[in-house]
Amino acid sequence: MSITCRDAMREAIRQALIADDRVFMMGEDIGAYGGCFAVSKGLLAEFGPDRIRDTPLSESAFVGAGVGAAMAGMRPIVEIMTVNFSLLALDQILNNAATLRHMSGGQIGVPLVIRMTTGGGRQLAAQHSHSLEGWYAHIPGIKVLVPATVDDFRHMLQPALDDPDPVLIFEHALLYNAEGELSDGPSPPIDKAVVRRAGKDITLITYGGSLAKTVQAAELLAAEGIEADVIDLRSLRPLDDATYMASVRRTHRAVIVDEGWRSGSISAELSARITEGAFYELDAPVGRVCSAEVPMPYAKHLEEAALPSTSSIVAAAREAMAEDA
Amino acid sequence: MSDLAMLRTMLLIRRFEERAAQLYGESKIRGFLHLCIGEEAVAVGVSAALEPDDNVVSTYREHGHALVRGVGADAVMAEMFGRSEGCSGGRGGSMHLFDVQHRFFGGNAIVGGGLPVAVGLALADHLRGVQRTTVCLFGEGAMAEGEFHESVNLATLWHLPVVFCCENNLYAMGSALTRTEANTDLVLKAAAYGLAAWSADGMDVRAVHDAMRRAVTTVRDGSGPVFVEMRTYRFRAHSMYDPELYRSKDEVAEWKHRDPIDLEVGRLRVDGLLDDAGLSALQDDVQREVEAAVLAAENGTDEPVEQLTRHVYADAAEEVRS
């Protein structure tokens, strides 16, 4: 049966609420409105206002309340409308959620899940379109998940709730309408990267909203006789070094596709790790396709030019292939 | 808690902090060290109104708060020495004292940062039907932070069992209340959110106790959160690096006439419950307790550097205690 990522996440939340009475959800407009992106539509009617809690527009207070409730043994799912709004709660995420276990000498755990949308492509300009998951991946003490498929939208939430530490889930807003078939088998552990397409010539490393573009680019490259391995990272913290490193050692070439800005980014981190771990295996410099270093513009043609695209990924792969072995 | 016991606890906090300041001078304690000398009545009066099972969330000026909640003087001193035996295993220091067994949830050094957490602790109790009060202590400086306003609104909206306890010592670090707040009536500000709010003389342990008992009773009755302002004064500098350019020596001297310990000693003498010998005995007693804590901290152990990256994530051996 085909399902959208939106419906997959809603079902994940539903099942979590049914399975465990410690689970509750809070955020802006998740109840009466049905969720800004309709992920939580219908949940208020099914679970009631105690467990589906509409909050005031107070990101710091309701994220911090999630931290406190998690410390006390609950399993809150906090929804933040977009990654840009999460900056209003950064004190609670960094100074409390990520830090309390350490600061208390291991006495306190914060088993909190924070979900938020990320990414551009909807002409929402410079305060609703950024990809800051790489920033969050800088922080020890939290985990950062970036689902890209219906399976991961459906199956990443429960392990995140089971995790004794805070987990942030970044959902690319363009994926909510994306459809796919749910697979029957068990999902891989949330901290493992997955090879989405196998190829021997070059490794394309990506995650989240850039996966579909990257797979599409790989198909175009295949038509030119270049077979690309496409790695879906799934988790930005921790990074599953073993999976992408094994691929790079096999293909000897790598291009990283990341919707975040290039400077000081997760793509920079990946490039550094590849250089540290597989320098002598490389036949070409590590390539990167990132967002342009500009706050996201509104105009459609400018936004398209700012974001990674299938053609820019193809071009970067061709460049890596052009290097002599 | 008897009046005599409250006096003893104030004496303990005073002696503990005087000794900590000395040890800071000797470089045994480092980092920031914020003393609450002059504000002891707040810690003691607040705690006396609580049950052992109640939650407390505090600030970076929290030695007194930790001690009154039952965190051992030895565990707090060892923490400031950075020892494994410290109440946060040496990972927190003076500003981050934690003791989950005593439901003492820190030690938050971001002004205003503890308020949302306190709301969440109370939310968990509300959702589970647990009868418990969460007390959140913060300075008046926090009332300029958005987190104060967001948290008080949220707790009131959701009728959560929180006492927001503001220790108004008139200075946010070196910024006088009158230089930072357009409206300096803190009770009025808080009451705007629709919760019960009142103030008390924070230099009088009995007044603090009464105001806090009233607050806790209100919260336990299910009437939602309460805001209490404790009007107090810090006799010492903000931290060990503060030349106190922002207030006059006369002002400090004036407040020292209202020393909460002297006030209580005077009362107990008038009531015939304390004489010179009794006071000496109490002072000797707390002195012994503090010196034992210092000795234990001196002889404490340092965590092996090989364990540096512990406590970032849970590991198999480390259950979440909650």
Side-chain angles (χ1 to χ4, degrees):
Chain A
M1 188 193 77
S2 189
I3 185 172
T4 63
C5 288
R6 172 186 293 106
D7 291 344
M9 180 54 79
R10 184 188 306 115
E11 189 55 17
I13 297 167
R14 271 192 77 238
Q15 293 304 329
L17 285 160
I18 290 167
D20 186 348
D21 58 16
R22 297 174 305 172
V23 175
F24 68 99
M25 184 168 163
M26 57 184 165
E28 293 156 351
D29 275 320
I30 64 163
Y33 187 96
C36 182
F37 295 90
V39 172
S40 53
K41 196 174 172 189
L43 297 181
L44 176 63
E46 186 173 355
F47 296 98
D50 247 11
R51 300 185 73 196
I52 302 295
R53 306 183 75 89
D54 275 321
T55 65
L57 281 68
S58 304
E59 283 82 1
S60 200
F62 70 74
V63 171
V67 172
M71 279 164 63
M74 301 298 285
R75 293 294 181 272
I77 303 170
V78 173
E79 178 178 299
I80 302 177
M81 240 182 231
T82 84
V83 67
N84 287 81
F85 304 173
S86 77
L87 304 184
L88 294 163
L90 203 46
D91 172 44
Q92 292 301 323
I93 297 172
L94 172 52
N95 289 321
N96 281 339
T99 307
L100 277 162
R101 180 184 295 284
H102 180 258
M103 222 162 39
S104 67
Q107 292 179 76
I108 289 172
V110 184
L112 167 70
V113 172
I114 303 174
R115 302 174 38 247
M116 65 184 98
T117 55
T118 188
R122 294 165 296 142
Q123 285 193 266
L124 294 179
Q127 293 181 336
H128 286 70
S129 304
H130 291 138
S131 291
L132 302 179
E133 52 276 3
W135 249 31
Y136 280 101
H138 181 62
I139 304 171
I142 59 175
K143 297 181 180 178
V144 174
L145 305 183
V146 280
T149 64
V150 289
D151 276 332
D152 281 345
F153 272 77
R154 174 64 187 83
H155 295 301
M156 273 187 165
L157 180 70
Q158 189 56 51
L161 284 165
D162 294 338
D163 198 289
D165 290 303
V167 179
L168 275 57
I169 304 179
F170 290 87
E171 300 164 17
H172 197 291
L174 283 184
L175 289 176
Y176 285 131
N177 287 332
E179 278 187 52
E181 297 291 323
L182 274 179
S183 37
D184 295 331
S187 278
I190 50 174
D191 57 355
K192 294 291 172 223
V194 162
V195 179
R196 296 292 182 195
R197 183 191 187 284
K200 62 180 184 2
D201 299 322
I202 187 168
T203 302
L204 304 179
I205 305 170
T206 190
Y207 68 88
S210 299
L211 176 64
K213 293 175 191 175
T214 306
V215 170
Q216 211 175 357
E219 300 303 331
L220 293 173
L221 289 165
E224 301 174 16
I226 300 167
E227 291 299 335
D229 229 18
V230 176
I231 309 284
D232 175 5
L233 290 168
R234 299 176 74 241
S235 166
L236 301 187
R237 189 177 191 103
L239 279 170
D240 176 12
D241 294 326
T243 297
Y244 67 80
M245 215 69 93
S247 171
V248 173
R249 290 200 178 104
R250 211 158 25 76
T251 65
H252 310 292
R253 294 168 208 267
V255 169
I256 303 153
V257 183
D258 169 19
E259 203 177 304
W261 291 301
R262 184 189 195 92
S263 302
S265 63
I266 194 75
S267 68
E269 176 64 25
L270 286 158
S271 175
R273 289 192 190 199
I274 291 167
T275 308
E276 289 161 358
F279 182 77
Y280 296 105
E281 313 277 344
L282 290 173
D283 285 341
V286 175
R288 286 193 283 162
V289 181
C290 302
S291 282
E293 305 260 334
V294 61
M296 199 62 73
Y298 163 71
K300 188 173 169 58
H301 66 293
L302 293 177
E303 184 183 39
E304 281 173 359
L307 292 166
S309 65
T310 302
S311 59
S312 60
I313 300 165
V314 168
R318 280 186 193 137
E319 200 180 319
M321 292 305 297
E323 296 282 333
D324 285 335
Chain B
M1 202 178 201
S2 72
D3 293 332
L4 216 52
M6 291 206 288
L7 173 64
R8 185 196 179 277
T9 311
M10 287 199 288
L11 289 168
L12 173 68
I13 297 171
R14 176 75 52 100
R15 185 63 206 138
F16 183 93
E17 291 212 317
E18 287 169 348
R19 196 69 174 92
Q22 280 176 358
L23 291 160
Y24 198 88
E26 295 167 25
S27 294
K28 299 278 176 61
I29 298 173
R30 292 282 89 190
F32 283 148
L33 181 70
H34 306 94
L35 305 178
C36 73
I37 289 174
E39 305 180 18
E40 295 92 340
V42 179
V44 175
V46 164
S47 185
L50 301 179
E51 300 295 330
D53 192 40
D54 287 334
N55 294 325
V56 173
V57 176
S58 182
T59 67
Y60 54 83
R61 196 182 303 285
E62 89 284 33
H63 310 144
H65 303 154
L67 293 172
V68 295
R69 293 312 290 158
V71 188
D74 50 351
V76 178
M77 192 60 85
E79 185 59 34
M80 296 202 282
F81 273 64
R83 303 295 198 200
S84 303
E85 293 82 1
C87 59
S88 304
R91 299 292 178 132
S94 162
M95 298 192 285
H96 305 301
L97 306 175
F98 286 85
D99 186 343
V100 170
Q101 299 303 320
H102 290 94
R103 305 197 73 81
F104 188 75
F105 294 103
N108 197 306
I110 306 295
V111 173
L115 280 89
V117 174
V119 172
L121 290 168
L123 174 61
D125 289 332
H126 168 77
L127 287 169
R128 288 187 295 210
V130 174
Q131 291 291 315
R132 180 191 285 135
T133 303
T134 295
V135 177
C136 186
L137 291 144
F138 52 91
E140 86 289 349
M143 291 186 64
E145 295 281 2
E147 289 188 313
F148 168 82
H149 299 273
E150 292 189 15
S151 300
V152 171
N153 178 58
L154 192 63
T156 310
L157 186 72
W158 288 354
H159 303 289
L160 298 177
V162 186
V163 179
F164 293 101
C165 185
C166 176
E167 294 181 289
N168 177 9
N169 66 16
L170 299 174
Y171 293 91
M173 199 162 142
S175 296
L177 183 63
T178 48
R179 294 178 59 230
T180 52
E181 290 285 329
N183 180 354
T184 57
D185 187 334
L186 303 181
V187 168
L188 194 64
K189 277 174 83 102
Y193 289 101
L195 79 173
W198 53 80
S199 65
D201 179 359
M203 306 306 276
D204 177 348
V205 71
R206 299 187 192 188
V208 170
H209 187 201
D210 287 346
M212 195 63 190
R213 218 163 24 192
R214 221 175 113 204
V216 171
T217 304
T218 305
V219 165
R220 289 202 203 285
D221 286 349
S223 305
V226 174
F227 171 90
V228 188
E229 175 200 10
M230 303 298 182
R231 295 183 175 168
T232 185
Y233 198 79
R234 129 175 94 64
F235 293 170
R236 295 291 187 101
H238 164 74
S239 72
M240 307 309 281
Y241 296 98
D242 168 15
E244 294 186 79
L245 302 174
Y246 50 85
R247 62 182 190 181
S248 72
K249 291 196 165 54
D250 288 349
E251 181 187 299
V252 179
E254 189 126 333
W255 276 92
K256 282 186 176 172
H257 287 307
R258 301 193 49 214
D259 189 313
I261 292 177
D262 294 346
L263 175 67
E264 193 54 25
V265 167
R267 276 180 182 151
L268 290 166
R269 280 182 194 275
V270 168
D271 293 345
L273 294 169
L274 189 72
D275 56 15
D276 287 348
L279 181 59
S280 284
L282 281 179
Q283 282 168 333
D284 290 347
D285 190 34
V286 300
Q287 171 81 0
R288 268 194 303 276
E289 185 172 341
V290 170
E291 289 313 315
V294 174
L295 189 66
E298 296 267 16
N299 294 326
T301 49
D302 289 338
E303 187 177 6
V305 172
E306 294 70 37
Q307 297 182 8
L308 173 65
T309 56
R310 277 176 86 203
H311 307 313
V312 178
Y313 297 98
D315 55 48
E318 186 178 31
E319 285 291 323
V320 180
R321 280 198 260 161
S322 55

